[in-house]
Amino acid sequence: LKEQYDVVIIGSGGAGLVSALQARELGLRPVILEKMPTVGGNTMRASSGMNAAETNIQLREGIVDSFAEFYQETYQGGGRLNDPELLNYFTTHSGQAIDWLRSHGIILNDLTITGGMKKKRAHRPKSTAPIGAFLVNNLLWLLDQVGVPIFTQATVTELLKDDAGKIKGVNVQVAGEPKTIFAPAVILATGGFGASKQLLKRYRPDLLAYKTTNHVGATGDGIILAEHIGAQVLQMEMIQIHPTVQQDTPHTYLIGEAVRGEGAILVDQQGVRFTNELGTRKVVSEQITALPEQAAYLIFDQGVKERVKAIDFYASKGLVVSAATPIELAQKLQLDPTVLADTLIQWNTAVETKRDVKFGRTTGMQRKLEKAPYYAIHVAPAIHYTMGGLHINEKAQVLDQSGNIMAGLFAAGEVTGGLHGNNRIGGNSIAETVVFGRQAGQQAAVYLA
Ligand code: ADP
């Protein structure tokens, strides 16, 4: 670890790794500091995909999409509380972000759909790896090629400003030892605070009882560090609960939206559907929480399993119940067999007629649930994503409490607030790390030119 770099990047999730690569390719000398023993943060856990519009991948599947529709659906899904400037930059740079990844050999040429979206825009790899780990591993390899150093167990504890108020470096604990690193630019890519009881207590004490899908390092450090030197935070109380999280085992496992996107349904303890499974995360979570048992079963068949590679992973962890017939599945789950069988018949009719009379579902209806074996996963809502965070502008510059640009301080990814409004759409967070990670790297280069 040297004493001086062009830019210190705090955090090694998608936002940190992308901004480092972009900055390096523009001639800067970045360093990445990661507090955990392993890299990747919450990004390692992402499984749905990377949303983007107007891509060639979409056109190849006959999907004519537009930035305007992507904007509108994200805006509706976010309760119209999204920052229009950020959302506009995000949607109109999403297609380029897919191309940029492709030009680096990171190919996301399979498409799926997530809750709240009307078109297939979640881009993901064709290979077996879920998107998060795939992205992180590829970026690590690329960063190694261009000589960007990454230090783990390096916790940033303070951001340093000079007398003129410009960023001049950070204090960091490296394996327990305090060090100062000088750099005229800092990119905060520390992720969200879904695992911070302290911040939950401050902003959402009503959620303290919920489990979380987040890694233990998601404690909002970047928000606290920047707030300490005058940064503005916003929408901190907007916290997303993910509807389908398996939490009967000691470790919580998020069951990705792709399972529903490829055709799964949700049933209650009676074996009856109770919602449009592909409504936004907010609505589906509320519907599950409203059930007497506050939990539900995801039900699907072999056809869905073949489309979602992550299901093999869930099965390897013992989370999936399987049976040869719907009747047998119901017996194993202690549901009424005739009711569950009837639910499946009704659902398959809805798929066939393309009309879900009961709940108006219109997506994730490409296949009937009729191919044995049949499967179930027991799920309930858990804290998943923190929409609020640092106030940035479209240049990824952090703003202070009066709305002025903080010279030399940039932020990208979940540490920032405003893009998602009160509900993040699945597939938008990976897209955010790439779009705004690139932007932070680019604007750091402009700032230092
Ligand atoms: P994003 O999706 O926005 O990139 P992630 O959660 O994937 O966010 O990654 C954020 C990373 O930042 C995590 O690996 C986390 O451990 C790391 N991090 C958080 N706080 C600090 C800190 N104070 N110093 C160094 N790294 C940090």
Side-chain angles (χ1 to χ4, degrees):
L1 188 60
K2 289 192 275 184
E3 223 171 75
Q4 172 90 42
Y5 292 89
D6 292 332
V7 49
V8 168
I9 294 164
I10 314 175
S12 66
L17 300 177
V18 167
S19 63
L21 184 61
Q22 182 68 85
R24 180 70 198 100
E25 290 180 345
L26 290 168
L28 303 185
R29 290 272 163 201
V31 65
I32 300 174
L33 304 177
E34 167 57 54
K35 72 173 176 178
M36 301 300 286
T38 53
V39 298
N42 273 340
T43 300
M44 278 308 259
R45 302 178 173 214
S47 63
S48 57
M50 168 169 161
N51 286 340
E54 302 194 17
T55 70
N56 288 321
I57 313 284
Q58 289 178 304
L59 288 175
R60 224 173 291 149
E61 287 201 19
I63 299 162
V64 181
D65 196 6
S66 69
F67 295 143
E69 287 164 272
F70 186 17
Y71 183 108
Q72 274 312 323
E73 288 168 26
T74 300
Y75 197 54
Q76 292 302 334
R80 300 173 156 265
L81 292 165
N82 320 56
D83 178 326
E85 175 189 338
L86 294 182
L87 184 53
N88 185 51
Y89 185 86
F90 171 71
T91 48
T92 57
H93 289 76
S94 59
Q96 278 177 30
I98 294 283
D99 290 344
W100 183 79
L101 289 175
R102 192 178 44 200
S103 73
H104 288 83
I106 303 177
I107 298 174
L108 305 177
N109 56 353
D110 193 30
L111 286 174
T112 190
I113 197 159
T114 59
M117 297 272 106
K118 294 203 179 75
K119 286 188 172 158
K120 278 188 172 186
R121 19 184 109 90
H123 296 63
R124 58 184 189 171
K126 273 232 161 77
S127 67
T128 52
I131 181 141
F134 178 80
L135 195 62
V136 168
N137 291 330
N138 275 285
L139 287 166
L140 287 175
W141 185 83
L142 289 161
L143 288 166
D144 188 53
Q145 298 296 301
V146 294
V148 173
I150 304 179
F151 294 89
T152 53
Q153 292 184 290
T155 308
V156 174
T157 55
E158 198 175 2
L159 304 175
L160 306 173
K161 290 202 281 192
D162 66 15
D163 295 339
K166 294 182 178 166
I167 286 292
K168 69 168 183 185
V170 301
N171 282 334
V172 55
Q173 292 271 343
V174 189
E177 231 179 86
K179 282 206 164 100
T180 298
I181 299 174
F182 293 98
V186 168
I187 298 174
L188 293 160
T190 49
F193 60 94
S196 167
K197 292 283 179 208
Q198 188 197 331
L199 288 179
L200 283 177
K201 208 165 169 180
R202 170 146 34 127
Y203 293 104
R204 287 296 300 274
D206 58 310
L207 299 181
L208 276 166
Y210 277 95
K211 292 188 181 179
T212 180
T213 61
N214 286 196
H215 82 120
V216 295
T219 49
D221 299 19
I223 297 170
I224 296 166
L225 292 171
E227 227 186 346
H228 193 69
I229 59 164
Q232 188 177 95
V233 299
L234 45 79
Q235 300 184 337
M236 289 292 283
E237 69 292 351
M238 294 180 187
I239 293 178
Q240 179 170 72
I241 307 298
H242 193 289
T244 56
V245 180
Q246 194 288 142
Q247 36 194 290
D248 304 325
T249 50
H251 187 299
T252 58
Y253 291 95
L254 183 146
I255 309 303
E257 223 147 85
V259 182
R260 283 170 281 145
E262 295 298 334
I265 58 171
L266 281 168
V267 303
D268 62 15
Q269 197 60 46
Q270 266 60 59
V272 178
R273 285 179 69 223
F274 55 90
T275 187
N276 167 6
E277 292 83 352
L278 284 163
T280 60
R281 289 174 174 182
K282 189 171 186 299
V283 171
V284 178
S285 293
E286 284 164 2
Q287 300 279 350
I288 296 176
T289 303
L291 297 172
E293 54 280 6
Q294 303 191 327
Y297 286 106
L298 260 175
I299 305 285
F300 52 97
D301 71 345
Q302 180 64 17
V304 173
K305 184 167 180 279
E306 282 164 11
R307 282 288 301 161
V308 187
K309 293 128 197 165
I311 293 172
D312 293 331
F313 170 77
Y314 308 143
S316 77
K317 297 288 172 192
L319 316 179
V320 184
V321 177
S322 70
T325 63
I327 302 279
E328 194 192 315
L329 187 67
Q331 283 160 347
K332 283 190 174 175
L333 303 176
Q334 299 184 322
L335 306 178
D336 184 331
T338 49
V339 174
L340 183 65
D342 187 50
T343 296
L344 283 173
I345 290 168
Q346 286 184 31
W347 171 246
N348 286 339
T349 307
V351 171
E352 203 168 281
T353 57
K354 294 188 165 48
R355 244 187 106 228
D356 173 21
V357 185
K358 276 198 178 141
F359 301 106
R361 173 164 162 181
T362 55
T363 55
M365 298 176 78
Q366 54 278 64
R367 60 181 60 77
K368 291 198 245 177
L369 299 177
E370 58 183 4
K371 188 173 176 192
Y374 294 84
Y375 303 97
I377 305 178
H378 191 228
V379 293
I383 292 175
H384 183 49
Y385 191 89
T386 51
M387 273 74 71
L390 298 174
H391 190 184
I392 59 165
N393 61 17
E394 65 161 24
K395 290 186 172 172
Q397 294 166 313
V398 179
L399 305 180
D400 70 13
Q401 274 149 25
S402 319
N404 300 314
I405 290 159
M406 296 179 75
L409 191 59
F410 302 87
E414 194 177 350
V415 69
T416 68
L419 174 65
H420 307 289
N422 69 7
N423 174 59
R424 178 180 66 83
I425 299 292
N428 273 358
S429 83
I430 288 290
E432 173 182 30
T433 67
V434 181
V435 170
F436 282 100
R438 291 188 67 210
Q439 174 68 316
Q442 291 168 22
Q443 295 304 322
V446 170
Y447 176 71
L448 297 177

